[in-house]
Short mmCIF file of all heavy atoms in Angstrom, two decimals:
data_model
loop_
_atom_site.label_atom_id
_atom_site.label_comp_id
_atom_site.label_asym_id
_atom_site.label_seq_id
_atom_site.Cartn_x
_atom_site.Cartn_y
_atom_site.Cartn_z
N LEU Q 19 40.17 -50.35 19.21
CA LEU Q 19 41.52 -50.82 19.57
C LEU Q 19 42.16 -49.74 20.42
O LEU Q 19 42.25 -48.59 19.99
CB LEU Q 19 42.39 -51.02 18.33
CG LEU Q 19 42.15 -52.20 17.40
CD1 LEU Q 19 43.30 -52.26 16.38
CD2 LEU Q 19 42.07 -53.51 18.16
N SER Q 20 42.59 -50.10 21.63
CA SER Q 20 43.30 -49.15 22.48
C SER Q 20 44.57 -49.81 22.98
O SER Q 20 44.66 -51.04 23.04
CB SER Q 20 42.45 -48.75 23.69
OG SER Q 20 41.27 -48.11 23.28
N ALA Q 21 45.53 -48.98 23.34
CA ALA Q 21 46.82 -49.49 23.83
C ALA Q 21 47.63 -48.32 24.32
O ALA Q 21 47.42 -47.19 23.87
CB ALA Q 21 47.57 -50.17 22.69
N PRO Q 22 48.59 -48.56 25.18
CA PRO Q 22 49.53 -47.49 25.49
C PRO Q 22 50.26 -47.10 24.21
O PRO Q 22 50.51 -47.96 23.36
CB PRO Q 22 50.51 -48.12 26.48
CG PRO Q 22 49.92 -49.39 26.90
CD PRO Q 22 48.92 -49.81 25.89
N SER Q 23 50.61 -45.83 24.08
CA SER Q 23 51.32 -45.35 22.90
C SER Q 23 52.59 -46.17 22.69
O SER Q 23 53.37 -46.36 23.62
CB SER Q 23 51.66 -43.88 23.11
OG SER Q 23 52.32 -43.37 21.99
N GLY Q 24 52.80 -46.68 21.48
CA GLY Q 24 53.98 -47.47 21.16
C GLY Q 24 53.77 -48.97 21.22
O GLY Q 24 54.63 -49.74 20.80
N LYS Q 27 49.26 -50.49 18.20
CA LYS Q 27 47.86 -50.58 17.73
C LYS Q 27 47.65 -49.97 16.36
O LYS Q 27 46.84 -50.48 15.59
CB LYS Q 27 46.87 -50.01 18.74
CG LYS Q 27 46.90 -48.53 18.87
CD LYS Q 27 45.97 -48.08 19.96
CE LYS Q 27 46.19 -46.62 20.27
NZ LYS Q 27 47.62 -46.22 20.44
N THR Q 28 48.41 -48.93 16.02
CA THR Q 28 48.26 -48.35 14.67
C THR Q 28 48.72 -49.36 13.62
O THR Q 28 48.06 -49.53 12.59
CB THR Q 28 49.07 -47.04 14.56
OG1 THR Q 28 48.65 -46.18 15.62
CG2 THR Q 28 48.84 -46.35 13.23
N SER Q 45 37.97 -45.18 11.63
CA SER Q 45 37.37 -43.96 12.17
C SER Q 45 38.44 -42.87 12.22
O SER Q 45 39.40 -42.98 12.98
CB SER Q 45 36.82 -44.23 13.57
OG SER Q 45 36.36 -43.01 14.13
N VAL Q 46 38.29 -41.86 11.40
CA VAL Q 46 39.28 -40.79 11.31
C VAL Q 46 38.97 -39.75 12.38
O VAL Q 46 37.93 -39.09 12.34
CB VAL Q 46 39.29 -40.15 9.90
CG1 VAL Q 46 40.38 -39.08 9.82
CG2 VAL Q 46 39.48 -41.21 8.82
N SER Q 47 39.85 -39.65 13.37
CA SER Q 47 39.67 -38.70 14.47
C SER Q 47 40.15 -37.31 14.06
O SER Q 47 40.98 -37.18 13.16
CB SER Q 47 40.48 -39.14 15.68
OG SER Q 47 40.01 -40.36 16.19
N ALA Q 48 39.66 -36.32 14.78
CA ALA Q 48 40.23 -34.97 14.66
C ALA Q 48 41.29 -34.83 15.75
O ALA Q 48 41.14 -35.37 16.84
CB ALA Q 48 39.13 -33.93 14.85
N THR Q 49 42.37 -34.13 15.44
CA THR Q 49 43.39 -33.87 16.46
C THR Q 49 44.06 -32.53 16.23
O THR Q 49 44.12 -32.05 15.09
CB THR Q 49 44.48 -34.97 16.49
OG1 THR Q 49 45.39 -34.70 17.58
CG2 THR Q 49 45.29 -35.03 15.20
N ARG Q 51 47.25 -32.30 17.30
CA ARG Q 51 48.71 -32.55 17.29
C ARG Q 51 49.27 -32.40 15.88
O ARG Q 51 48.55 -32.48 14.89
CB ARG Q 51 49.03 -33.91 17.90
CG ARG Q 51 49.09 -35.07 16.97
CD ARG Q 51 50.15 -36.10 17.39
NE ARG Q 51 49.87 -37.45 16.91
CZ ARG Q 51 50.00 -37.82 15.63
NH1 ARG Q 51 50.32 -36.96 14.69
NH2 ARG Q 51 49.75 -39.07 15.30
N ALA Q 52 50.61 -32.18 15.83
CA ALA Q 52 51.28 -32.00 14.54
C ALA Q 52 51.29 -33.30 13.75
O ALA Q 52 51.34 -34.39 14.34
CB ALA Q 52 52.70 -31.51 14.78
N ARG Q 54 52.72 -36.33 11.68
CA ARG Q 54 54.01 -37.03 11.61
C ARG Q 54 54.34 -37.32 10.15
O ARG Q 54 53.43 -37.42 9.33
CB ARG Q 54 53.93 -38.37 12.35
CG ARG Q 54 53.82 -38.24 13.83
CD ARG Q 54 53.78 -39.64 14.48
NE ARG Q 54 53.44 -39.53 15.88
CZ ARG Q 54 52.67 -40.39 16.54
NH1 ARG Q 54 52.15 -41.44 15.93
NH2 ARG Q 54 52.44 -40.21 17.82
N GLU Q 57 52.01 -39.32 7.57
CA GLU Q 57 50.58 -39.20 7.86
C GLU Q 57 49.91 -38.31 6.81
O GLU Q 57 50.53 -37.40 6.27
CB GLU Q 57 50.35 -38.64 9.26
CG GLU Q 57 50.69 -39.65 10.34
CD GLU Q 57 50.39 -39.16 11.75
OE1 GLU Q 57 50.54 -37.96 12.02
OE2 GLU Q 57 50.04 -40.00 12.59
N ASP Q 62 44.58 -40.35 8.06
CA ASP Q 62 45.03 -40.82 9.39
C ASP Q 62 44.33 -40.03 10.49
O ASP Q 62 43.94 -40.59 11.52
CB ASP Q 62 46.55 -40.65 9.49
CG ASP Q 62 47.25 -41.49 8.43
OD1 ASP Q 62 47.15 -42.72 8.52
OD2 ASP Q 62 47.86 -40.92 7.51
N TYR Q 63 44.23 -38.75 10.31
CA TYR Q 63 43.52 -37.84 11.22
C TYR Q 63 43.00 -36.67 10.39
O TYR Q 63 43.51 -36.41 9.29
CB TYR Q 63 44.50 -37.22 12.25
CG TYR Q 63 44.87 -38.09 13.43
CD1 TYR Q 63 46.14 -38.67 13.52
CD2 TYR Q 63 43.98 -38.29 14.48
CE1 TYR Q 63 46.50 -39.44 14.63
CE2 TYR Q 63 44.34 -39.05 15.59
CZ TYR Q 63 45.59 -39.63 15.65
OH TYR Q 63 45.95 -40.39 16.74
N PHE Q 71 39.08 -27.12 16.74
CA PHE Q 71 38.66 -28.24 17.59
C PHE Q 71 37.64 -27.75 18.62
O PHE Q 71 36.63 -28.40 18.87
CB PHE Q 71 39.88 -28.87 18.29
CG PHE Q 71 39.61 -30.27 18.78
CD1 PHE Q 71 40.05 -31.38 18.07
CD2 PHE Q 71 38.87 -30.49 19.95
CE1 PHE Q 71 39.77 -32.67 18.51
CE2 PHE Q 71 38.60 -31.77 20.39
CZ PHE Q 71 39.06 -32.86 19.68
N GLU Q 82 33.02 -38.17 21.32
CA GLU Q 82 33.85 -38.15 22.53
C GLU Q 82 35.13 -37.44 22.18
O GLU Q 82 35.51 -37.39 21.00
CB GLU Q 82 34.13 -39.57 23.05
CG GLU Q 82 34.87 -40.49 22.08
CD GLU Q 82 36.35 -40.23 21.98
OE1 GLU Q 82 36.96 -39.90 22.99
OE2 GLU Q 82 36.92 -40.34 20.88
N TYR Q 83 35.79 -36.87 23.18
CA TYR Q 83 37.11 -36.29 22.94
C TYR Q 83 37.88 -36.30 24.25
O TYR Q 83 37.29 -36.38 25.34
CB TYR Q 83 37.02 -34.86 22.37
CG TYR Q 83 36.48 -33.83 23.33
CD1 TYR Q 83 37.35 -33.07 24.13
CD2 TYR Q 83 35.13 -33.64 23.47
CE1 TYR Q 83 36.86 -32.14 25.02
CE2 TYR Q 83 34.62 -32.72 24.37
CZ TYR Q 83 35.49 -31.97 25.14
OH TYR Q 83 35.00 -31.06 26.04
N GLU Q 84 39.21 -36.25 24.13
CA GLU Q 84 40.09 -36.22 25.30
C GLU Q 84 41.23 -35.26 25.00
O GLU Q 84 41.59 -35.05 23.84
CB GLU Q 84 40.72 -37.60 25.56
CG GLU Q 84 39.76 -38.71 25.92
CD GLU Q 84 39.17 -38.59 27.32
OE1 GLU Q 84 39.81 -37.95 28.18
OE2 GLU Q 84 38.08 -39.13 27.53
N SER Q 85 41.82 -34.75 26.08
CA SER Q 85 43.06 -34.01 25.95
C SER Q 85 44.17 -34.97 26.37
O SER Q 85 44.17 -35.47 27.50
CB SER Q 85 43.01 -32.79 26.88
OG SER Q 85 44.24 -32.13 26.81
N ILE Q 86 45.07 -35.27 25.43
CA ILE Q 86 46.11 -36.27 25.67
C ILE Q 86 47.45 -35.68 25.23
O ILE Q 86 47.55 -35.18 24.11
CB ILE Q 86 45.84 -37.56 24.84
CG1 ILE Q 86 44.42 -38.09 25.09
CG2 ILE Q 86 46.87 -38.63 25.12
CD1 ILE Q 86 43.98 -39.20 24.12
N PHE Q 87 48.45 -35.78 26.11
CA PHE Q 87 49.78 -35.25 25.78
C PHE Q 87 49.71 -33.78 25.32
O PHE Q 87 50.41 -33.37 24.40
CB PHE Q 87 50.47 -36.09 24.69
CG PHE Q 87 50.43 -37.57 24.93
CD1 PHE Q 87 49.95 -38.44 23.96
CD2 PHE Q 87 50.86 -38.11 26.13
CE1 PHE Q 87 49.91 -39.80 24.17
CE2 PHE Q 87 50.83 -39.48 26.35
CZ PHE Q 87 50.35 -40.32 25.37
N ASN Q 89 47.40 -32.28 23.66
CA ASN Q 89 46.63 -32.03 22.43
C ASN Q 89 45.23 -32.63 22.57
O ASN Q 89 45.02 -33.56 23.34
CB ASN Q 89 47.32 -32.67 21.22
CG ASN Q 89 48.50 -31.85 20.76
OD1 ASN Q 89 48.36 -30.68 20.42
ND2 ASN Q 89 49.67 -32.46 20.78
N TYR Q 90 44.32 -32.09 21.78
CA TYR Q 90 42.97 -32.66 21.73
C TYR Q 90 42.92 -33.78 20.70
O TYR Q 90 43.53 -33.67 19.62
CB TYR Q 90 41.97 -31.61 21.27
CG TYR Q 90 41.52 -30.59 22.27
CD1 TYR Q 90 41.59 -29.24 21.95
CD2 TYR Q 90 40.97 -30.97 23.49
CE1 TYR Q 90 41.15 -28.27 22.84
CE2 TYR Q 90 40.51 -30.01 24.38
CZ TYR Q 90 40.61 -28.66 24.05
OH TYR Q 90 40.16 -27.72 24.92
N TYR Q 91 42.14 -34.82 21.03
CA TYR Q 91 41.84 -35.89 20.08
C TYR Q 91 40.34 -36.20 20.24
O TYR Q 91 39.87 -36.34 21.37
CB TYR Q 91 42.58 -37.19 20.44
CG TYR Q 91 44.09 -37.14 20.32
CD1 TYR Q 91 44.88 -36.61 21.32
CD2 TYR Q 91 44.73 -37.69 19.21
CE1 TYR Q 91 46.27 -36.60 21.24
CE2 TYR Q 91 46.12 -37.68 19.11
CZ TYR Q 91 46.88 -37.14 20.13
OH TYR Q 91 48.25 -37.14 20.04
N GLY Q 92 39.61 -36.33 19.14
CA GLY Q 92 38.20 -36.64 19.29
C GLY Q 92 37.60 -37.29 18.05
O GLY Q 92 38.11 -37.15 16.94
N THR Q 93 36.50 -38.01 18.28
CA THR Q 93 35.83 -38.75 17.21
C THR Q 93 34.64 -37.96 16.68
O THR Q 93 33.69 -37.71 17.44
CB THR Q 93 35.30 -40.10 17.75
OG1 THR Q 93 36.37 -40.83 18.35
CG2 THR Q 93 34.67 -40.92 16.63
N PRO Q 94 34.66 -37.56 15.41
CA PRO Q 94 33.48 -36.87 14.86
C PRO Q 94 32.26 -37.80 14.78
O PRO Q 94 32.40 -38.97 14.43
CB PRO Q 94 33.92 -36.48 13.44
CG PRO Q 94 35.42 -36.58 13.43
CD PRO Q 94 35.77 -37.64 14.43
N PHE Q 110 38.13 -48.08 15.56
CA PHE Q 110 38.64 -46.90 16.27
C PHE Q 110 40.03 -47.18 16.82
O PHE Q 110 40.23 -48.22 17.47
CB PHE Q 110 37.77 -46.58 17.49
CG PHE Q 110 36.36 -46.20 17.19
CD1 PHE Q 110 35.40 -47.18 16.95
CD2 PHE Q 110 35.97 -44.88 17.18
CE1 PHE Q 110 34.08 -46.84 16.70
CE2 PHE Q 110 34.65 -44.52 16.94
CZ PHE Q 110 33.71 -45.50 16.69
N ASP Q 111 40.96 -46.25 16.62
CA ASP Q 111 42.25 -46.27 17.30
C ASP Q 111 42.21 -45.10 18.27
O ASP Q 111 42.55 -43.98 17.92
CB ASP Q 111 43.36 -46.11 16.25
CG ASP Q 111 44.76 -45.91 16.84
OD1 ASP Q 111 44.87 -45.58 18.04
OD2 ASP Q 111 45.73 -46.05 16.09
N ILE Q 112 41.69 -45.36 19.48
CA ILE Q 112 41.49 -44.27 20.44
C ILE Q 112 41.94 -44.70 21.83
O ILE Q 112 42.16 -45.89 22.07
CB ILE Q 112 40.01 -43.78 20.48
CG1 ILE Q 112 39.06 -44.88 20.93
CG2 ILE Q 112 39.61 -43.24 19.11
CD1 ILE Q 112 37.61 -44.40 21.04
N ASP Q 113 42.07 -43.76 22.74
CA ASP Q 113 42.60 -44.09 24.06
C ASP Q 113 41.53 -44.80 24.90
O ASP Q 113 40.38 -44.93 24.50
CB ASP Q 113 43.16 -42.85 24.76
CG ASP Q 113 42.10 -42.10 25.53
OD1 ASP Q 113 40.98 -41.94 25.01
OD2 ASP Q 113 42.39 -41.68 26.66
N VAL Q 114 41.97 -45.29 26.08
CA VAL Q 114 41.10 -46.12 26.90
C VAL Q 114 39.84 -45.38 27.35
O VAL Q 114 38.74 -45.93 27.32
CB VAL Q 114 41.88 -46.63 28.14
CG1 VAL Q 114 40.99 -47.46 29.04
CG2 VAL Q 114 43.07 -47.44 27.70
N LYS Q 115 40.00 -44.11 27.72
CA LYS Q 115 38.82 -43.36 28.16
C LYS Q 115 37.84 -43.18 27.00
O LYS Q 115 36.63 -43.28 27.18
CB LYS Q 115 39.24 -42.01 28.73
CG LYS Q 115 39.97 -42.15 30.05
CD LYS Q 115 40.33 -40.78 30.59
CE LYS Q 115 41.14 -40.93 31.87
NZ LYS Q 115 41.76 -39.66 32.25
N GLY Q 116 38.39 -42.92 25.82
CA GLY Q 116 37.53 -42.80 24.63
C GLY Q 116 36.80 -44.10 24.34
O GLY Q 116 35.61 -44.10 24.02
N GLY Q 117 37.53 -45.21 24.47
CA GLY Q 117 36.92 -46.52 24.21
C GLY Q 117 35.77 -46.80 25.18
O GLY Q 117 34.69 -47.26 24.78
N LEU Q 145 58.76 -47.32 21.25
CA LEU Q 145 58.46 -45.89 21.16
C LEU Q 145 59.68 -45.12 20.66
O LEU Q 145 59.58 -44.24 19.81
CB LEU Q 145 58.05 -45.41 22.56
CG LEU Q 145 57.08 -44.26 22.71
CD1 LEU Q 145 55.90 -44.35 21.78
CD2 LEU Q 145 56.58 -44.23 24.17
N ARG Q 148 60.52 -45.84 16.91
CA ARG Q 148 59.63 -45.17 15.95
C ARG Q 148 60.16 -43.80 15.57
O ARG Q 148 59.83 -43.27 14.51
CB ARG Q 148 58.22 -45.07 16.56
CG ARG Q 148 57.15 -44.75 15.55
CD ARG Q 148 55.76 -44.86 16.14
NE ARG Q 148 55.51 -43.83 17.14
CZ ARG Q 148 54.43 -43.77 17.89
NH1 ARG Q 148 53.49 -44.70 17.77
NH2 ARG Q 148 54.28 -42.81 18.77
N THR Q 150 59.49 -40.81 16.44
CA THR Q 150 58.56 -39.72 16.16
C THR Q 150 58.43 -38.77 17.34
O THR Q 150 57.80 -37.73 17.23
CB THR Q 150 57.14 -40.27 15.85
OG1 THR Q 150 56.74 -41.12 16.93
CG2 THR Q 150 57.12 -41.02 14.54
N GLU Q 151 59.04 -39.13 18.48
CA GLU Q 151 58.83 -38.34 19.70
C GLU Q 151 60.14 -37.75 20.20
O GLU Q 151 61.19 -38.36 20.08
CB GLU Q 151 58.25 -39.23 20.82
CG GLU Q 151 57.09 -40.11 20.41
CD GLU Q 151 55.93 -39.35 19.85
OE1 GLU Q 151 55.62 -38.25 20.36
OE2 GLU Q 151 55.32 -39.83 18.88
N ARG Q 159 54.51 -40.23 27.39
CA ARG Q 159 53.79 -41.39 26.88
C ARG Q 159 54.01 -42.61 27.79
O ARG Q 159 53.09 -43.39 28.03
CB ARG Q 159 54.19 -41.67 25.42
CG ARG Q 159 53.50 -40.71 24.47
CD ARG Q 159 54.03 -40.67 23.04
NE ARG Q 159 53.42 -39.55 22.33
CZ ARG Q 159 52.37 -39.64 21.49
NH1 ARG Q 159 51.83 -40.81 21.24
NH2 ARG Q 159 51.87 -38.57 20.93
N ARG Q 162 51.87 -42.12 30.96
CA ARG Q 162 50.46 -42.39 30.69
C ARG Q 162 50.20 -43.89 30.48
O ARG Q 162 49.12 -44.40 30.77
CB ARG Q 162 50.03 -41.61 29.45
CG ARG Q 162 48.52 -41.63 29.25
CD ARG Q 162 48.10 -40.82 28.05
NE ARG Q 162 46.71 -41.09 27.76
CZ ARG Q 162 45.69 -40.42 28.26
NH1 ARG Q 162 45.89 -39.41 29.06
NH2 ARG Q 162 44.45 -40.77 27.96
N GLU Q 166 47.01 -46.45 31.45
CA GLU Q 166 46.23 -47.20 30.45
C GLU Q 166 46.30 -48.69 30.72
O GLU Q 166 45.30 -49.39 30.62
CB GLU Q 166 46.73 -46.86 29.05
CG GLU Q 166 46.54 -45.37 28.76
CD GLU Q 166 46.57 -45.05 27.28
OE1 GLU Q 166 47.67 -44.98 26.73
OE2 GLU Q 166 45.50 -44.88 26.70
P1 5GP T 2 48.99 -40.53 18.63
O1 5GP T 2 49.45 -39.13 18.93
O2 5GP T 2 50.05 -41.55 19.01
O3 5GP T 2 48.46 -40.72 17.23
O4 5GP T 2 47.75 -40.82 19.59
C1 5GP T 2 47.83 -40.58 20.97
C2 5GP T 2 46.68 -41.26 21.67
O5 5GP T 2 45.45 -40.64 21.28
C3 5GP T 2 46.54 -42.75 21.29
O6 5GP T 2 46.26 -43.47 22.49
C4 5GP T 2 45.34 -42.74 20.36
O7 5GP T 2 44.68 -43.98 20.36
C5 5GP T 2 44.50 -41.65 21.00
N1 5GP T 2 43.45 -41.14 20.12
C6 5GP T 2 43.51 -40.91 18.79
N2 5GP T 2 42.34 -40.43 18.33
C7 5GP T 2 41.51 -40.36 19.39
C8 5GP T 2 40.13 -39.96 19.57
O8 5GP T 2 39.42 -39.57 18.63
N3 5GP T 2 39.62 -40.01 20.84
C9 5GP T 2 40.36 -40.44 21.89
N4 5GP T 2 39.75 -40.48 23.08
N5 5GP T 2 41.64 -40.84 21.76
C10 5GP T 2 42.21 -40.79 20.55
#
Side-chain angles (χ1 to χ4, degrees):
L19 287 189
S20 298
S23 181
K27 71 184 169 313
T28 305
S45 174
V46 183
S47 295
T49 184
R51 91 146 155 72
R54 290 182 190 142
E57 288 184 326
D62 299 295
Y63 280 107
F71 200 101
E82 60 77 36
Y83 69 93
E84 296 288 336
S85 176
I86 307 170
F87 312 127
N89 283 302
Y90 282 128
Y91 294 81
T93 305
F110 297 82
D111 171 343
I112 62 177
D113 87 317
V114 178
K115 290 182 183 167
L145 210 44
R148 195 171 68 187
T150 54
E151 313 303 322
R159 282 167 190 261
R162 190 178 169 90
E166 298 199 281

